[in-house]
Amino acid sequence: MKNVAVIGSQWGDEGKGKIVDWLSSEADVVIRFQGGHNAGHTLVIDGITYKLRLLPSGIVRKNKISIIGNGVVIDPWALLDEIEEIKSKGVNITVENLIISESANLILPFHKEMDEIREDAAGKAKIGTTRRGIGPAYEDKVGRRSIRVMDLISEKNLNQRLETVLLHHNAIRKGLGKNVFKKDKLKEDLLKIAPEILKFSKPVWKKIYEFKKQNKKILFEGAQGILLDVDHGTYPFVTSSNTVASAAATGSGCGPNSINYVLGITKAYTTRVGEGPFPTELKNNIGEMLGTRGKEFGTVTSRKRRCGWFDGVLVRQTIKISGIDGIALTKLDVLDELDEIKICVAYEIDGKQLDYLPAAVEDQLKVKPIYKSFKGWKSQTKGIREFDDLPENAKTYIKELEKFIEAKISSISTSPERNDTILIVDPFKI
Ligand code: IMP
């Protein structure tokens, strides 16, 4: 039996939706373990489009159990809206197929406001967050003043927890000249929806243990990408959770040995939304073309994504950091019309060559990419399902990329259609 963790190996938006959908059809249990409704996974099944933010991808399939782990930050209103939206498409969501961790932390309206206040005040130093309150909610978790799912259970407890967290927020708000946030209305609103949330809550760690004993196949569904990891990403231009595969264990309540295969979703070029270093960014017509052909607009915020060449140095780095066993290469067809395709194979900084991205943001902004150039294939790969059917130049590009990043390619995606995939290895069947 194998449990698989799927994570993004770049700055998110690698096309996880399609791969996660395919794997969740094989899994019995699908678990979200980090992030919040800053994520956006789009699934198209039998012609129906489902836009998921907080709910695990297993939710749209029959006979799967979906779990929101303790590592996720939950905006309870956003979750209830999403449940309603997905239900309105004919999906059954009950306490039988959705479990929420009792110890997941809540995103509350003052977190969203704090995210906005900070971003607006930061000027050029802004992070470019999704303004969903993700960062402030994780800060409160680590600051031990957060409100967790189980805090909704009693009015007395909720009241005391709200006093603690608002003491902190209101001090900052006053300092920034903003109005204080009132507790009573929020408490009332929370108590109104509490039964709707609490009915799904269970000790997730215990359920996972039971599922493992029953030999159920578990899919850990990562959000964002390793370069947005709060420890290993391009800090401070990162999200506030750990996006690496090992977060699947802490974010759900099982040991690292419960993850048997780590699949890194990797786009055949690079994109990023929001601010921060991006060594291979193309601010020219090739970048524009990648954005247009690749439909590179954020699913959550509709922002235009920045586009650039494939950065082999970065992907090789994230593969090592996260223990990626194999990669699913996505959006190869977006490169179909290019005369020349480049891969970044090293950086140059102050006349010296580097084979990794340095940790200091100043250096990250300074590095110049050194490229290896490949001839484009100038023909359609869209829809190809066998490696041998690919044009020779595409095969060369893929093989060189694989050699450079030092990880096996387990599948290649050649269109948004689920079946347009060249399958080399099925992670659940190794
Ligand atoms: P936050 O997660 O809203 O705090 O945003 C922090 C950074 O992560 C910003 O650059 C966002 O654009 C980026 N980010 C957050 N979630 C995603 C995602 O799902 N895909 C791509 N970028 C994301």
Side-chain angles (χ1 to χ4, degrees):
M1 193 218 32
K2 291 270 175 192
N3 297 325
V4 177
V6 169
I7 52 168
S9 72
Q10 291 152 319
W11 277 291
D13 310 313
E14 295 91 354
K16 288 189 279 300
K18 173 177 155 172
I19 312 286
V20 163
D21 170 39
W22 156 55
L23 289 172
S24 64
S25 69
E26 287 185 51
D28 302 301
V29 181
V30 184
I31 308 182
R32 274 283 306 270
F33 55 89
Q34 48 73 229
H37 62 317
N38 50 349
H41 292 174
T42 305
L43 307 181
V44 184
I45 301 172
D46 298 332
I48 305 178
T49 303
Y50 303 93
K51 287 195 185 295
L52 300 176
R53 292 179 186 93
L54 271 164
L55 291 169
S57 297
I59 202 74
V60 296
R61 295 188 172 274
K62 288 206 176 82
N63 305 320
K64 312 281 172 194
I65 293 167
S66 291
I67 298 183
I68 300 181
N70 56 280
V72 175
V73 280
I74 303 174
D75 177 327
W77 290 280
L79 177 62
L80 293 176
D81 285 351
E82 188 175 327
I83 291 175
E84 281 316 306
E85 191 189 317
I86 299 299
K87 270 178 152 179
S88 74
K89 301 199 166 184
V91 175
N92 205 19
I93 304 180
T94 68
V95 296
E96 302 299 322
N97 68 344
L98 177 65
I99 302 174
I100 301 177
S101 167
E102 301 170 317
S103 37
N105 294 264
L106 298 184
I107 301 182
L108 296 175
F110 52 83
H111 291 125
K112 186 174 175 344
E113 285 181 27
M114 187 61 78
D115 204 350
E116 287 184 334
I117 293 168
R118 288 220 196 102
E119 283 287 275
D120 288 341
K124 277 195 173 154
K126 73 171 193 237
I127 306 290
T129 73
T130 58
R131 294 176 175 243
R132 296 285 189 274
I134 308 289
Y138 276 116
E139 282 170 40
D140 282 348
K141 169 184 172 174
V142 180
R144 293 161 293 182
R145 54 183 172 264
S146 180
I147 292 172
R148 311 205 294 177
V149 167
M150 277 325 267
D151 289 318
L152 298 174
I153 205 138
S154 88
E155 193 265 342
K156 191 170 161 229
N157 177 56
L158 183 60
N159 191 58
Q160 187 252 313
R161 299 297 302 155
L162 278 172
E163 265 171 20
T164 306
V165 72
L166 285 176
L167 191 69
H168 175 85
H169 275 263
N170 281 333
I172 301 174
R173 290 169 74 105
K174 276 187 216 158
L176 292 168
K178 304 286 169 188
N179 60 337
V180 295
F181 199 97
K182 302 261 171 47
K183 179 192 68 183
D184 290 345
K185 168 85 171 69
L186 175 59
K187 187 175 72 180
E188 219 175 90
D189 292 346
L190 279 171
L191 288 171
K192 245 186 248 161
I193 57 162
E196 281 306 297
I197 301 287
L198 284 169
K199 72 177 185 198
F200 295 109
S201 78
K202 294 199 176 105
V204 163
W205 60 271
K206 200 160 179 289
K207 297 305 289 181
I208 296 180
Y209 185 72
E210 284 165 20
F211 294 141
K212 277 172 49 190
K213 278 215 301 209
Q214 293 160 5
N215 269 336
K216 297 226 185 278
K217 286 187 208 156
I218 303 176
L219 176 67
F220 296 93
E221 178 181 2
Q224 291 91 41
I226 302 171
L227 294 169
L228 289 169
D229 182 281
V230 68
D231 286 288
H232 299 288
T234 46
Y235 191 92
F237 299 98
V238 291
T239 190
S240 302
S241 64
N242 282 112
T243 57
V244 288
S246 37
T250 46
S252 62
C254 61
N257 54 358
S258 298
I259 306 158
N260 309 105
Y261 188 95
V262 180
L263 181 66
I265 316 296
T266 306
K267 192 144 55 179
Y269 51 98
T270 313
T271 61
R272 127 162 254 179
V273 227
E275 310 304 313
F278 183 172
T280 61
E281 182 170 15
L282 294 167
K283 291 182 179 163
N284 58 14
N285 58 345
I286 299 177
E288 283 294 319
M289 187 282 284
L290 292 173
T292 311
R293 277 185 65 93
K295 300 196 174 57
E296 298 295 354
F297 293 91
T299 28
V300 174
T301 57
S302 306
R303 285 178 292 176
K304 199 170 168 184
R305 296 177 187 143
R306 299 153 66 192
C307 297
W309 293 122
F310 184 82
D311 193 333
V313 178
L314 274 181
V315 173
R316 186 175 60 186
Q317 189 163 327
T318 59
I319 282 170
K320 297 205 163 81
I321 286 169
S322 206
I324 288 174
D325 294 298
I327 69 159
L329 190 68
T330 62
K331 294 187 138 179
L332 183 74
D333 56 299
V334 172
L335 307 180
D336 282 356
E337 285 179 2
L338 288 163
D339 295 317
E340 185 192 25
I341 300 171
K342 293 180 181 181
I343 294 181
C344 171
V345 290
Y347 298 129
E348 197 223 291
I349 183 166
D350 301 330
K352 285 196 211 103
Q353 210 165 306
L354 264 191
D355 63 358
Y356 68 98
L357 188 73
V361 73
E362 278 170 308
D363 291 340
Q364 293 181 354
L365 289 165
K366 255 196 324 200
V367 294
K368 296 260 173 309
I370 299 173
Y371 289 116
K372 183 165 178 178
S373 195
F374 296 85
K375 266 203 182 133
W377 41 92
K378 304 276 285 171
S379 60
Q380 187 166 314
T381 61
K382 195 171 171 82
I384 290 183
R385 298 178 187 183
E386 296 293 333
F387 189 83
D388 285 343
D389 293 341
L390 287 170
E392 282 312 309
N393 288 353
K395 286 185 199 162
T396 308
Y397 177 74
I398 293 165
K399 283 184 186 154
E400 285 287 317
L401 185 150
E402 184 175 47
K403 202 161 74 186
F404 186 81
I405 61 175
E406 298 170 32
K408 288 272 169 237
I409 293 182
S410 72
S411 65
I412 302 163
S413 170
T414 55
S415 102
E417 282 298 310
R418 189 169 162 203
N419 293 329
D420 290 342
T421 304
I422 300 168
L423 183 60
I424 299 161
V425 175
D426 181 339
F428 272 125
K429 294 195 178 133
I430 292 171

PDB file of all heavy atoms in Angstrom, residues 60-76:
ATOM      1  N   VAL A  60     -15.649  15.738  -4.589  1.00  0.00           N
ATOM      2  CA  VAL A  60     -16.560  15.671  -5.727  1.00  0.00           C
ATOM      3  C   VAL A  60     -16.764  14.237  -6.225  1.00  0.00           C
ATOM      4  O   VAL A  60     -17.548  14.007  -7.149  1.00  0.00           O
ATOM      5  CB  VAL A  60     -16.082  16.571  -6.896  1.00  0.00           C
ATOM      6  CG1 VAL A  60     -16.105  18.022  -6.480  1.00  0.00           C
ATOM      7  CG2 VAL A  60     -14.701  16.154  -7.364  1.00  0.00           C
ATOM      8  N   ARG A  61     -16.072  13.292  -5.616  1.00  0.00           N
ATOM      9  CA  ARG A  61     -16.217  11.893  -6.067  1.00  0.00           C
ATOM     10  C   ARG A  61     -16.954  11.073  -5.018  1.00  0.00           C
ATOM     11  O   ARG A  61     -16.795  11.295  -3.823  1.00  0.00           O
ATOM     12  CB  ARG A  61     -14.836  11.282  -6.315  1.00  0.00           C
ATOM     13  CG  ARG A  61     -14.137  11.968  -7.437  1.00  0.00           C
ATOM     14  CD  ARG A  61     -12.875  11.260  -7.827  1.00  0.00           C
ATOM     15  NE  ARG A  61     -12.366  11.876  -9.043  1.00  0.00           N
ATOM     16  CZ  ARG A  61     -12.751  11.525 -10.255  1.00  0.00           C
ATOM     17  NH1 ARG A  61     -13.612  10.551 -10.425  1.00  0.00           N
ATOM     18  NH2 ARG A  61     -12.249  12.147 -11.302  1.00  0.00           N
ATOM     19  N   LYS A  62     -17.698  10.100  -5.504  1.00  0.00           N
ATOM     20  CA  LYS A  62     -18.467   9.250  -4.585  1.00  0.00           C
ATOM     21  C   LYS A  62     -17.533   8.309  -3.826  1.00  0.00           C
ATOM     22  O   LYS A  62     -16.480   7.911  -4.329  1.00  0.00           O
ATOM     23  CB  LYS A  62     -19.453   8.401  -5.394  1.00  0.00           C
ATOM     24  CG  LYS A  62     -20.599   9.215  -5.944  1.00  0.00           C
ATOM     25  CD  LYS A  62     -21.838   8.336  -6.157  1.00  0.00           C
ATOM     26  CE  LYS A  62     -22.989   9.190  -6.616  1.00  0.00           C
ATOM     27  NZ  LYS A  62     -22.963   9.479  -8.064  1.00  0.00           N
ATOM     28  N   ASN A  63     -17.937   7.956  -2.622  1.00  0.00           N
ATOM     29  CA  ASN A  63     -17.227   6.972  -1.790  1.00  0.00           C
ATOM     30  C   ASN A  63     -15.798   7.346  -1.421  1.00  0.00           C
ATOM     31  O   ASN A  63     -14.938   6.480  -1.302  1.00  0.00           O
ATOM     32  CB  ASN A  63     -17.215   5.586  -2.456  1.00  0.00           C
ATOM     33  CG  ASN A  63     -18.614   5.133  -2.788  1.00  0.00           C
ATOM     34  OD1 ASN A  63     -19.541   5.352  -1.997  1.00  0.00           O
ATOM     35  ND2 ASN A  63     -18.783   4.543  -3.965  1.00  0.00           N
ATOM     36  N   LYS A  64     -15.524   8.629  -1.307  1.00  0.00           N
ATOM     37  CA  LYS A  64     -14.201   9.085  -0.843  1.00  0.00           C
ATOM     38  C   LYS A  64     -14.411   9.854   0.445  1.00  0.00           C
ATOM     39  O   LYS A  64     -15.437  10.528   0.608  1.00  0.00           O
ATOM     40  CB  LYS A  64     -13.545  10.057  -1.843  1.00  0.00           C
ATOM     41  CG  LYS A  64     -13.556   9.613  -3.258  1.00  0.00           C
ATOM     42  CD  LYS A  64     -12.492   8.599  -3.525  1.00  0.00           C
ATOM     43  CE  LYS A  64     -12.633   8.006  -4.930  1.00  0.00           C
ATOM     44  NZ  LYS A  64     -11.836   6.816  -5.126  1.00  0.00           N
ATOM     45  N   ILE A  65     -13.407   9.788   1.304  1.00  0.00           N
ATOM     46  CA  ILE A  65     -13.479  10.600   2.519  1.00  0.00           C
ATOM     47  C   ILE A  65     -12.540  11.787   2.359  1.00  0.00           C
ATOM     48  O   ILE A  65     -11.380  11.623   1.953  1.00  0.00           O
ATOM     49  CB  ILE A  65     -13.122   9.749   3.751  1.00  0.00           C
ATOM     50  CG1 ILE A  65     -14.232   8.700   3.916  1.00  0.00           C
ATOM     51  CG2 ILE A  65     -12.995  10.615   5.013  1.00  0.00           C
ATOM     52  CD1 ILE A  65     -13.941   7.623   4.845  1.00  0.00           C
ATOM     53  N   SER A  66     -13.045  12.971   2.634  1.00  0.00           N
ATOM     54  CA  SER A  66     -12.229  14.179   2.514  1.00  0.00           C
ATOM     55  C   SER A  66     -11.965  14.741   3.896  1.00  0.00           C
ATOM     56  O   SER A  66     -12.877  14.810   4.723  1.00  0.00           O
ATOM     57  CB  SER A  66     -12.961  15.226   1.682  1.00  0.00           C
ATOM     58  OG  SER A  66     -13.034  14.779   0.353  1.00  0.00           O
ATOM     59  N   ILE A  67     -10.720  15.129   4.118  1.00  0.00           N
ATOM     60  CA  ILE A  67     -10.339  15.613   5.449  1.00  0.00           C
ATOM     61  C   ILE A  67      -9.658  16.975   5.335  1.00  0.00           C
ATOM     62  O   ILE A  67      -8.786  17.181   4.489  1.00  0.00           O
ATOM     63  CB  ILE A  67      -9.368  14.611   6.137  1.00  0.00           C
ATOM     64  CG1 ILE A  67     -10.069  13.253   6.333  1.00  0.00           C
ATOM     65  CG2 ILE A  67      -8.859  15.160   7.460  1.00  0.00           C
ATOM     66  CD1 ILE A  67      -9.240  12.210   7.053  1.00  0.00           C
ATOM     67  N   ILE A  68     -10.074  17.888   6.218  1.00  0.00           N
ATOM     68  CA  ILE A  68      -9.352  19.165   6.350  1.00  0.00           C
ATOM     69  C   ILE A  68      -8.554  19.044   7.644  1.00  0.00           C
ATOM     70  O   ILE A  68      -9.127  18.962   8.740  1.00  0.00           O
ATOM     71  CB  ILE A  68     -10.334  20.353   6.400  1.00  0.00           C
ATOM     72  CG1 ILE A  68     -11.160  20.391   5.085  1.00  0.00           C
ATOM     73  CG2 ILE A  68      -9.582  21.661   6.620  1.00  0.00           C
ATOM     74  CD1 ILE A  68     -12.150  21.539   4.987  1.00  0.00           C
ATOM     75  N   GLY A  69      -7.250  18.989   7.513  1.00  0.00           N
ATOM     76  CA  GLY A  69      -6.381  18.713   8.664  1.00  0.00           C
ATOM     77  C   GLY A  69      -6.126  19.934   9.540  1.00  0.00           C
ATOM     78  O   GLY A  69      -6.494  21.065   9.196  1.00  0.00           O
ATOM     79  N   ASN A  70      -5.488  19.676  10.663  1.00  0.00           N
ATOM     80  CA  ASN A  70      -5.180  20.729  11.638  1.00  0.00           C
ATOM     81  C   ASN A  70      -4.270  21.826  11.074  1.00  0.00           C
ATOM     82  O   ASN A  70      -4.254  22.950  11.577  1.00  0.00           O
ATOM     83  CB  ASN A  70      -4.518  20.117  12.878  1.00  0.00           C
ATOM     84  CG  ASN A  70      -3.273  19.326  12.522  1.00  0.00           C
ATOM     85  OD1 ASN A  70      -3.372  18.185  12.078  1.00  0.00           O
ATOM     86  ND2 ASN A  70      -2.103  19.927  12.676  1.00  0.00           N
ATOM     87  N   GLY A  71      -3.506  21.503  10.040  1.00  0.00           N
ATOM     88  CA  GLY A  71      -2.566  22.488   9.484  1.00  0.00           C
ATOM     89  C   GLY A  71      -3.228  23.529   8.608  1.00  0.00           C
ATOM     90  O   GLY A  71      -2.599  24.515   8.214  1.00  0.00           O
ATOM     91  N   VAL A  72      -4.510  23.322   8.303  1.00  0.00           N
ATOM     92  CA  VAL A  72      -5.238  24.261   7.421  1.00  0.00           C
ATOM     93  C   VAL A  72      -5.822  25.388   8.269  1.00  0.00           C
ATOM     94  O   VAL A  72      -6.239  25.170   9.407  1.00  0.00           O
ATOM     95  CB  VAL A  72      -6.383  23.502   6.690  1.00  0.00           C
ATOM     96  CG1 VAL A  72      -7.250  24.448   5.864  1.00  0.00           C
ATOM     97  CG2 VAL A  72      -5.812  22.395   5.820  1.00  0.00           C
ATOM     98  N   VAL A  73      -5.850  26.599   7.735  1.00  0.00           N
ATOM     99  CA  VAL A  73      -6.570  27.693   8.406  1.00  0.00           C
ATOM    100  C   VAL A  73      -7.913  27.875   7.696  1.00  0.00           C
ATOM    101  O   VAL A  73      -7.965  27.993   6.473  1.00  0.00           O
ATOM    102  CB  VAL A  73      -5.761  29.016   8.443  1.00  0.00           C
ATOM    103  CG1 VAL A  73      -4.730  28.996   9.563  1.00  0.00           C
ATOM    104  CG2 VAL A  73      -5.075  29.314   7.114  1.00  0.00           C
ATOM    105  N   ILE A  74      -8.976  27.868   8.502  1.00  0.00           N
ATOM    106  CA  ILE A  74     -10.335  27.810   7.934  1.00  0.00           C
ATOM    107  C   ILE A  74     -11.112  29.087   8.195  1.00  0.00           C
ATOM    108  O   ILE A  74     -11.334  29.453   9.348  1.00  0.00           O
ATOM    109  CB  ILE A  74     -11.125  26.639   8.564  1.00  0.00           C
ATOM    110  CG1 ILE A  74     -10.387  25.309   8.359  1.00  0.00           C
ATOM    111  CG2 ILE A  74     -12.540  26.573   7.986  1.00  0.00           C
ATOM    112  CD1 ILE A  74     -11.038  24.140   9.083  1.00  0.00           C
ATOM    113  N   ASP A  75     -11.522  29.746   7.117  1.00  0.00           N
ATOM    114  CA  ASP A  75     -12.510  30.823   7.246  1.00  0.00           C
ATOM    115  C   ASP A  75     -13.860  30.118   7.252  1.00  0.00           C
ATOM    116  O   ASP A  75     -14.283  29.565   6.223  1.00  0.00           O
ATOM    117  CB  ASP A  75     -12.382  31.775   6.043  1.00  0.00           C
ATOM    118  CG  ASP A  75     -13.430  32.878   6.065  1.00  0.00           C
ATOM    119  OD1 ASP A  75     -14.561  32.604   6.541  1.00  0.00           O
ATOM    120  OD2 ASP A  75     -13.135  33.978   5.591  1.00  0.00           O
ATOM    121  N   PRO A  76     -14.541  30.079   8.404  1.00  0.00           N
ATOM    122  CA  PRO A  76     -15.744  29.236   8.482  1.00  0.00           C
ATOM    123  C   PRO A  76     -16.833  29.647   7.508  1.00  0.00           C
ATOM    124  O   PRO A  76     -17.550  28.799   6.975  1.00  0.00           O
ATOM    125  CB  PRO A  76     -16.213  29.397   9.937  1.00  0.00           C
ATOM    126  CG  PRO A  76     -15.514  30.588  10.479  1.00  0.00           C
ATOM    127  CD  PRO A  76     -14.270  30.793   9.673  1.00  0.00           C
TER     128      PRO A  76
END
